[in-house]
Amino acid sequence: MSGRIFRQRKRGRPDGEQGRSPPLREHSQAAVRALSDPLSRAGLRSGETTYERERDAERALSLLEAKMVTGDWTDPQRSKVKLGDYAAKWISERTELRPRTVEIYSGLLQRHVAPYFGNVALGKINTEMVREWRAALASNGVGAVLTVAQVFQLADLVPVRLRALILLATFASLRWGEVAALRRMDLDLNAGTVSVRQQHVELDTGELLVGPPKSRAGLRTVAIPEAIIPALRQHLDQFTESEPTALVFTGANGGILRRSNFRRAVKWSEITRKLGVPGLHVHDLRHTGNTIAASAGASLRDLMARMGHDSVRAAMIYQHRMAEADHKIADVMNGKITQVLPAEASGH
């Protein structure tokens, strides 16, 4: 390590050895371990302390190694890097990220992280600061979780042709790009399921890409709570063309529904203020659905499969077992919905 660990040189050396550095075998065991440690060769630093006694060096190195093992050690130099610089570099170096993901991460950094932590050194960030930051975001409606009743209130505030989108995006935990890309053949209302096979990706340049979901786990079939199926049937009858490949949700003139057009069409800022959650984002509908599903008692694996997230092992391994468990999740969600709805309100 760059920190120096020496043992005191023995006195009374034979003639001719007084001016030489002690051979490796005469270094303390601590120094040998420090020099041979691959973490040391990688450039990790422990300071510039020099120890005159071997046992002090041993003790210091043992404490340092213990911190490394427990994850409590912080590189003093790297901890001085500001979070804004670190995060921007982290995003730029992730070459595997899709263009839209880069835009999303960069936007979140610019809007929500950099204003609070951008100029703060990594080593200065503590739990209390993060809690204060999270509370400030929550007070502005960022990352809000709606109640079931609020979801239906929101659905009733949008134009009727988009009411089912609010319900499906929430209670099936769909991403915007997934719900916008749904086709008639992706909905099996007799079985009570929606299959996610593709997604729309909108870049900041305005370019629209159509492709598979963002991960293998994104290809999935999700159970739908029974209480919202009447609303979905009504939507298909009134607003969706009869062809199997017809988009379920479209713009006012029948074209592809873009996020920006959706926000304008429903007057998103206005209706979310009316609902009491002015900072609500469209993505928070999915966040709400995930939270409700988790409260229904879903296991971590089943929840990740429903959400379309990869686990350490591919979520597809658990797909067969998930099908039955996912219907149970939908049944519990259905019970929560019917508790706050009049008997026929779910069909509007």
Side-chain angles (χ1 to χ4, degrees):
M1 297 181 182
S2 59
R4 298 186 297 277
I5 301 177
F6 299 111
R7 73 179 284 193
Q8 186 175 12
R9 188 168 61 187
K10 293 182 180 180
R11 299 188 180 185
R13 293 181 178 276
D15 290 342
E17 293 189 6
Q18 292 294 331
R20 300 183 200 168
S21 298
L24 183 60
R25 66 176 179 273
E26 293 186 11
H27 277 286
S28 70
Q29 183 182 6
V32 173
R33 296 209 322 262
L35 291 171
S36 62
D37 190 338
L39 293 178
S40 303
R41 295 196 302 271
L44 302 180
R45 291 168 284 274
S46 63
E48 294 297 330
T49 305
T50 299
Y51 298 93
E52 293 297 331
R53 296 188 302 175
E54 179 177 344
R55 66 184 180 199
D56 292 338
E58 288 278 6
R59 184 180 301 111
L61 186 59
S62 295
L63 290 173
L64 185 60
E65 289 174 340
K67 287 184 177 181
M68 288 181 174
V69 170
T70 60
D72 294 329
W73 183 78
T74 302
D75 182 342
Q77 297 303 315
R78 294 178 183 175
S79 66
K80 297 177 183 178
V81 177
K82 294 179 180 180
L83 185 142
D85 296 334
Y86 176 85
K89 186 172 184 288
W90 185 93
I91 294 172
S92 67
E93 291 177 346
R94 293 305 180 274
T95 56
E96 75 279 6
L97 296 179
R98 294 187 177 190
R100 179 55 185 165
T101 303
V102 171
E103 290 180 350
I104 291 173
Y105 286 178
S106 300
L108 291 174
L109 174 62
Q110 182 178 1
R111 291 192 304 273
H112 302 310
V113 180
Y116 197 94
F117 287 119
N119 290 320
V120 181
L122 294 175
K124 298 292 185 181
I125 298 174
N126 55 40
T127 302
E128 183 179 357
M129 293 174 64
V130 174
R131 286 175 177 166
E132 291 176 355
W133 167 72
R134 179 67 186 89
L137 292 181
S139 66
N140 291 324
V142 178
V145 176
L146 303 180
T147 65
V148 171
Q150 285 178 314
V151 174
F152 280 91
Q153 290 170 16
L154 179 64
D156 289 338
L157 290 173
V158 304
V160 64
R161 67 182 177 84
L162 296 172
R163 182 174 185 272
L165 184 150
I166 299 293
L167 300 178
L168 186 60
T170 302
F171 296 118
S173 296
L174 300 181
R175 301 175 176 90
W176 168 261
E178 294 171 347
V179 73
L182 288 177
R183 298 157 296 181
R184 177 181 277 272
M185 65 182 184
D186 297 324
L187 284 174
D188 186 342
L189 299 185
N190 292 326
T193 62
V194 55
S195 295
V196 179
R197 299 185 175 101
Q198 63 178 15
Q199 68 170 354
H200 290 171
V201 178
E202 300 176 50
L203 302 182
D204 288 344
T205 60
E207 183 180 3
L208 181 71
L209 307 177
V210 181
K214 62 186 302 183
S215 68
R216 286 185 300 166
L219 287 165
R220 65 199 188 278
T221 297
V222 179
I224 305 169
E226 184 180 352
I228 71 170
I229 288 181
L232 295 174
R233 291 191 188 279
Q234 180 179 349
H235 177 88
L236 291 178
D237 290 342
Q238 295 184 4
F239 302 107
T240 304
E241 298 294 333
S242 59
E243 294 83 3
T245 57
L247 290 172
V248 174
F249 303 106
T250 62
N253 297 320
I256 292 175
L257 182 63
R258 292 175 175 264
R259 187 195 304 260
S260 56
N261 293 340
F262 168 80
R263 290 177 62 89
R264 284 194 295 269
V266 302
K267 300 180 179 178
W268 186 260
S269 296
E270 178 181 330
I271 63 175
T272 52
R273 281 197 301 269
K274 186 179 296 186
L275 193 63
V277 283
L280 189 76
H281 292 275
V282 176
H283 188 77
D284 292 329
L285 299 179
R286 169 175 159 83
H287 181 45
T288 294
N290 293 339
T291 303
I292 296 172
S295 69
S299 70
L300 179 60
R301 289 174 179 174
D302 292 337
L303 182 60
M304 293 184 76
R306 183 177 181 87
M307 294 162 55
H309 277 191
D310 280 321
S311 60
V312 176
R313 300 177 216 180
M316 303 296 270
I317 296 175
Y318 310 106
Q319 193 171 38
H320 292 295
R321 187 178 65 83
M322 186 274 292
E324 181 179 353
D326 197 32
H327 275 283
K328 291 180 180 178
I329 294 172
D331 290 341
V332 174
M333 293 172 68
N334 184 67
K336 290 179 178 291
I337 294 171
T338 55
Q339 288 176 8
V340 300
L341 283 180
E344 298 180 359
S346 58
H348 200 58

